[in-house]
Amino acid sequence: MRQYIIAANWKMNKTLEEGQKLASEIINIVSDEVKSDAQVVICAPFIHLTAVKALIGSKKNIFLGAQNVSNKESGAYTGEVSAAQLKSVGVDFVIIGHSERREYFNESNEMLAEKVDLAIKHGIRPIFCCGESLAQREQGVHIDFIKSQLTESLFHLSEQDFLKTVIAYEPIWAIGTGVTATIEDIENVHNAIKERISKPLLYGGSVKVENVREICQIPNVDGALIGTASWKKEDFIKILENTKDL
Ligand code: 13P
């Protein structure tokens, strides 16, 4: 059986109370009823991390993820959160290079490489996001663009560190739009990435209850990074049910 990852990206949603409720429902159902085969990663906003960690406790197949990390080790960087700080609250994974951060916070490939280095240094596995805009896809430059994102932010890593990285292909035009890439689109990009990299490779972008199984059955897809459909307990639980016994 393939080992795959189902990661929830809560983005900037949920008050502390709402987050605790959602996390505890997911964690309880996963351990008591669904018994998911996946490694489930809950990528919560910073304010939730300690509470979600306590709810996860010692459960084996549920992990804690953050959605961002500073590219600085420590010091006078008001508002930033360091990899060491994330580690100190038990974070296992961190999303790095999400297109929303690249676009709204001007995160460059170079800065993302620094974030990747610090995460790995502190024992946190990066979930490194890559993906093209609609214009790039229409121009047919998307594969080259994705390869440059990976090359500039990850290819300096040693083989050993590289093994700790998870990659997520998230075409920007499919994020939060309800438009999922076709199976063929996903297959083409995943095959191109896997030609060079044998890492766990997730797909993200309008993954839903109805399409998650088909997407995860694509040979070079090792799981999914899920936004909108992870914010509702019912949907996320169904996603875990639909990805059993792949
Ligand atoms: P949606 O699932 O809402 O399209 O978001 C995908 C995403 O950005 C996950 O990181």
Side-chain angles (χ1 to χ4, degrees), residues 82-93:
S82 74
Q85 289 172 321
L86 293 181
K87 190 67 192 175
S88 75
V89 296
V91 165
D92 307 295
F93 290 87

Side-chain angles (χ1 to χ4, degrees), residues 9 11 98 100 170 174-177 204-207 225-229:
N9 179 2
K11 306 195 180 183
H98 194 283
E100 288 152 13
E170 297 207 314
I175 295 176
T177 57
S206 298
V207 175
L225 178 55
I226 300 164
T228 315

Side-chain angles (χ1 to χ4, degrees), residues 1 4 33-38 213 238-246:
M1 200 158 46
Y4 58 98
E33 294 167 39
V34 176
K35 306 233 182 298
S36 171
D37 311 317
R213 188 166 182 87
K238 281 203 193 100
I239 282 175
L240 296 173
E241 281 170 352
N242 289 353
T243 48
K244 282 172 80 169
D245 305 317
L246 275 177

Side-chain angles (χ1 to χ4, degrees), residues 97 102 109 128-132 144-154 172:
R102 293 176 188 264
N109 288 340
F128 184 83
C129 300
C130 58
E132 81 286 359
D144 285 343
F145 178 73
I146 291 162
K147 283 187 173 166
S148 71
Q149 289 182 317
L150 298 174
T151 307
E152 289 173 33
S153 299
L154 297 182
I172 297 169

